[in-house]
């Protein structure tokens, strides 16, 4: 009898300890397109150019591992299938969101936690109806069904949704539909920009770009868009909202979507600055963890790698010159847009004008050495581009790049030492970093479907 009592007491103590260790505050950071190449390029820049002896924040976490990312239909996943895996623990086909390949709806960890009293916040630097945030509330056979995804976001009941825009607010004929009214009917207050957010009165908020700014994403860090929200600011706003509305327990997903955009463009400088920006957003969660170390869990990972980014090329050999990126003040996407606007305006724009622009915004012919041969190549591509000859350009997921823009960044890549295999996704593993309550569960190499399973194991 005495032995049974002792066994029972030990069991009770074990259960009590498990409950005590269950995290009340869960942060899930997803760097879209952030493979090991993106992390190591940023780490190398942090060490060799910024002169920091400490690793970037995510690399300082005590748990560091890797996750496989393949989908149910391919070794190379798309964002919808990867988002579904990270949100629900289920593999699906590329393009499908919140469903298994046979169209069975799956339940995300955000929904499971919300049903158990957790406040939910989803933050992204791209549209809130994009694949990664959408995987935490939507169930559609194709990720492009923005109206349906938006309706499900409105009905989710989540406390804080933040992104650049909603893409399903117009019909195919270009007329406004009832999507915004659906948010209002569900008690969600829509605000544009952080200034309007400060005056929000509802406990359920949808934060979007200021109305005077482009809505495709919040803007690249490297472009310094005046008046644009930043991911760290949005993260801080979401955290403040959670502390006000759900101080006892909450779950926050924060996506650095612009890392992926830079990867599709093969724009190394933009990727490094976006990854640093992602780490600055992570700092808000880490500071919260320091104040609540026994009650907080932070997990950092990525949905996939974008671009096939590698460090080192045949131009620089065993070296990198990442300091050249300090002279880059325009993203590849915005440079392509600028060249497009020059062609469309039909204004007279000479090569000397463009040389002046490239010197000011990329450091060419100054701190960034460009040879005479490269200059002649650039001039020839510039004249071809301004004449409207766009043959040989490149179309990626988010933009079209003329041969002149491509030549500029090929030269910059060669000088800095970066290399690329694709303008799409690659099938390599992605990093997993963790700190806080139960973080040791993420130590071995895992599959992306196991990450939400382990979070739920700890929380529930």
């Amino acid at each position: 009898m005495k032995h049974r009592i002792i066994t029972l007491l030990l069991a009770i103590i074990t259960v009590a300890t498990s409950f005590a260790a269950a995290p009340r505050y869960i942060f899930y950071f997803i760097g879209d397109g952030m493979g090991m190449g993106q992390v190591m390029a940023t780490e190398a820049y942090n060490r060799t150019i910024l002169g920091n002896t400490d690793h970037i924040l995510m690399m300082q976490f005590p748990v560091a591992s890797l996750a496989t990312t393949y989908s149910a239909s391919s070794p190379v996943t798309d964002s919808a299938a990867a988002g579904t895996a990270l949100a629900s623990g289920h593999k699906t086909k590329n393009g499908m969101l919140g469903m298994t390949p046979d169209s069975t709806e799956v339940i995300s960890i955000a929904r499971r936690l919300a049903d158990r009293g957790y406040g939910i916040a989803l933050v992204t630097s791209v549209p809130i109806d994009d694949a990664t945030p959408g995987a935490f509330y939507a169930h559609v056979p194709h990720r492009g069904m923005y109206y349906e995804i938006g309706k499900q976001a409105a009905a989710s009941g989540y406390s804080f949704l933040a992104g650049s825009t909603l893409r399903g607010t117009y019909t195919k004929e270009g007329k406004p539909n009832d999507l915004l009214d659906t948010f209002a009917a569900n008690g969600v207050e829509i605000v544009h920009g952080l200034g309007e957010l400060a005056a929000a009165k509802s406990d359920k908020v949808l934060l979007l770009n200021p109305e005077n700014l482009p809505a495709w994403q919040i803007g690249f860090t490297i472009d310094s868009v005046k008046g644009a929200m930043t991911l760290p600011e949005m993260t801080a706003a979401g955290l403040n909202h959670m502390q006000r509305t759900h101080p006892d327990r909450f779950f926050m997903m924060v996506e650095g979507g612009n890392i992926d955009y830079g990867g599709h463009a093969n724009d190394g400088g933009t990727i490094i600055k976006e990854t640093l920006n992602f780490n600055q957003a992570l700092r808000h969660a880490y500071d919260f963890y320091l104040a609540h170390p026994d009650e907080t869990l932070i997990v950092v990972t990525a949905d996939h790698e974008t671009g096939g980014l590698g460090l080192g090329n045949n131009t620089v050999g065993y070296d990198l010159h990442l300091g050249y990126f300090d002279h880059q003040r325009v993203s590849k996407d915005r440079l392509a847009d600028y060249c497009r606007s020059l062609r469309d305006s039909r204004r007279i724009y000479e090569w000397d004008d463009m040389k002046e622009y490239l010197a000011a915004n990329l450091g060419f012919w100054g701190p960034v050495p460009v040879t005479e041969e490269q200059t002649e190549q650039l001039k020839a591509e510039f004249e071809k581009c301004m004449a409207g000859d766009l043959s040989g350009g490149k179309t990626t997921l988010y933009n079209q790049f003329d041969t002149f823009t491509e030549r500029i960044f090929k030269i910059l890549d060669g000088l800095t030492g970066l290399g690329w295999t694709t303008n799409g996704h690659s099938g390599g593993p992605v990093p997993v970093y963790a700190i806080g309550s139960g973080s040791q569960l993420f130590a071995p190499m895992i599959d992306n479907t196991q990450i939400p399973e382990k979070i739920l194991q700890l929380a529930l």
Side-chain angles (χ1 to χ4, degrees):
M1 176 63 73
K2 185 177 180 181
H3 177 74
R4 289 182 179 179
I5 293 174
I6 293 173
T7 301
L8 178 60
L9 288 173
L10 288 173
I12 292 172
I13 291 171
T14 301
V15 171
T17 303
S18 297
F19 276 103
R24 295 167 56 195
Y25 310 111
I26 302 170
F27 295 89
Y28 199 4
F29 277 74
I30 300 173
D32 195 334
M34 188 186 73
M36 287 308 303
Q38 284 76 6
V39 172
M40 293 312 299
T42 306
E43 168 65 9
Y45 177 88
N46 177 67
R47 184 181 68 257
T48 63
I49 307 305
L50 299 183
N52 291 321
T53 55
D54 292 334
H55 296 301
I56 57 175
L57 180 57
M58 69 178 92
M59 294 182 70
Q60 296 179 38
F61 288 5
V63 174
S65 183
L66 294 171
T68 50
T69 63
Y70 62 91
S71 72
S73 58
S74 174
V76 180
T77 188
D78 86 322
S79 293
T84 300
L86 290 175
S88 70
H90 292 271
K91 295 286 187 184
T92 193
K93 293 179 181 178
N94 286 356
M96 299 185 75
L97 192 63
M99 291 181 165
T100 58
D102 62 359
S103 296
T104 300
E105 293 185 2
V106 294
I107 304 174
S108 76
I109 55 173
R111 171 53 53 203
R112 291 185 184 276
L113 292 172
D115 290 345
R116 287 160 176 79
Y118 280 72
I120 306 297
L122 306 179
V123 178
T124 181
S125 55
V126 297
I128 192 62
D129 51 17
D130 209 29
T132 300
F136 287 85
Y137 59 79
H139 314 279
V140 289
H142 191 272
R143 60 180 290 185
M145 301 171 66
Y146 298 126
Y147 174 74
E148 291 79 6
I149 294 172
K151 295 277 270 192
Q152 293 177 56
S156 68
Y158 296 167
S159 300
F160 189 85
L161 302 173
S164 60
T165 190
L166 280 170
R167 290 178 289 191
T169 56
Y170 289 87
T171 65
K172 293 180 180 179
E173 293 73 32
K175 297 181 180 179
N177 56 31
D178 64 346
L179 182 54
L180 296 180
D181 294 334
T182 303
F183 276 91
N186 281 276
V188 181
E189 185 175 355
I190 301 176
V191 297
H192 294 273
L194 296 169
E196 286 189 15
L197 177 64
K201 299 175 182 176
S202 175
D203 285 348
K204 291 190 289 185
V205 171
L206 170 61
L207 171 64
L208 302 175
N209 263 0
E211 292 184 286
N212 63 319
L213 292 179
W216 189 244
Q217 31 95 302
I218 62 173
F220 289 120
T221 302
I222 206 166
D223 291 318
S224 302
V225 180
K226 186 177 181 179
M229 299 186 295
T230 69
L231 189 64
E233 290 172 341
M234 296 166 75
T235 302
L239 179 53
N240 289 337
H241 189 84
M242 287 294 97
Q243 290 177 282
R244 180 175 67 84
T245 60
H246 292 83
D248 291 334
R249 58 180 63 187
F250 60 75
F251 168 88
M252 278 191 69
M253 189 286 295
V254 179
E255 181 197 22
N258 280 347
I259 302 172
D260 177 64
Y261 279 48
H264 281 285
N266 290 171
D267 182 351
T270 290
I271 286 173
I272 288 173
K273 299 303 171 64
E274 287 301 326
T275 307
L276 287 173
N277 185 262
F278 181 70
N279 270 263
Q280 290 167 3
L282 179 62
R283 176 70 62 178
H284 289 293
Y286 182 67
D287 288 343
F288 183 90
Y289 156 77
L290 292 177
H292 308 272
D294 298 327
E295 304 168 302
T296 304
L297 170 66
I298 305 175
V299 179
V300 183
T301 190
D303 52 354
H304 52 72
E305 194 278 342
T306 304
L309 173 59
L311 279 63
N313 61 28
N314 290 329
T315 302
V316 300
Y318 294 171
D319 201 1
L320 293 174
H321 302 288
L322 301 179
Y324 292 151
F325 287 134
D326 281 352
H327 306 284
Q328 182 184 346
R329 297 181 176 86
V330 61
S331 65
K332 185 177 179 181
D333 281 89
R334 299 295 79 83
L335 178 55
D337 294 344
Y338 179 63
C339 291
R340 189 178 300 113
S341 70
L342 292 177
R343 291 194 305 272
D344 293 343
S345 70
R346 299 183 180 277
R347 60 177 282 198
I348 298 176
Y349 197 83
E350 303 290 348
W351 169 238
D352 286 343
D353 298 321
M354 180 54 72
K355 280 191 69 176
E356 184 177 341
Y357 177 89
L358 295 180
N361 290 282
L362 289 166
F364 278 18
W365 302 287
V368 180
V370 178
T371 66
E372 290 186 11
E373 180 182 0
Q374 290 169 333
T375 300
E376 290 303 312
Q377 292 171 345
L378 286 171
K379 182 179 180 180
E381 293 293 354
F382 168 76
E383 292 174 348
K384 173 184 172 183
C385 173
M386 290 299 106
D389 182 358
L390 303 180
S391 60
K394 185 174 291 183
T395 298
T396 67
L397 185 60
Y398 300 115
N399 213 332
Q400 292 180 322
F401 299 100
D402 55 74
T403 54
F404 175 59
T405 303
E406 284 292 303
R407 176 67 63 179
I408 290 169
F409 279 82
K410 183 177 181 181
I411 290 172
L412 187 58
D413 286 340
L415 291 169
T416 56
L418 299 187
W420 311 89
T421 64
T422 177
N423 285 104
H425 302 171
S426 70
V430 295
V432 179
Y433 303 106
I435 191 171
S437 178
S439 58
Q440 65 276 5
L441 285 184
F442 302 88
M445 183 167 181
I446 54 180
D447 183 65
N448 56 6
T449 55
Q450 295 175 275
I451 298 175
E453 292 174 355
K454 291 177 182 294
I455 292 175
L456 281 178
Q457 178 183 340
L458 291 168
L460 304 183

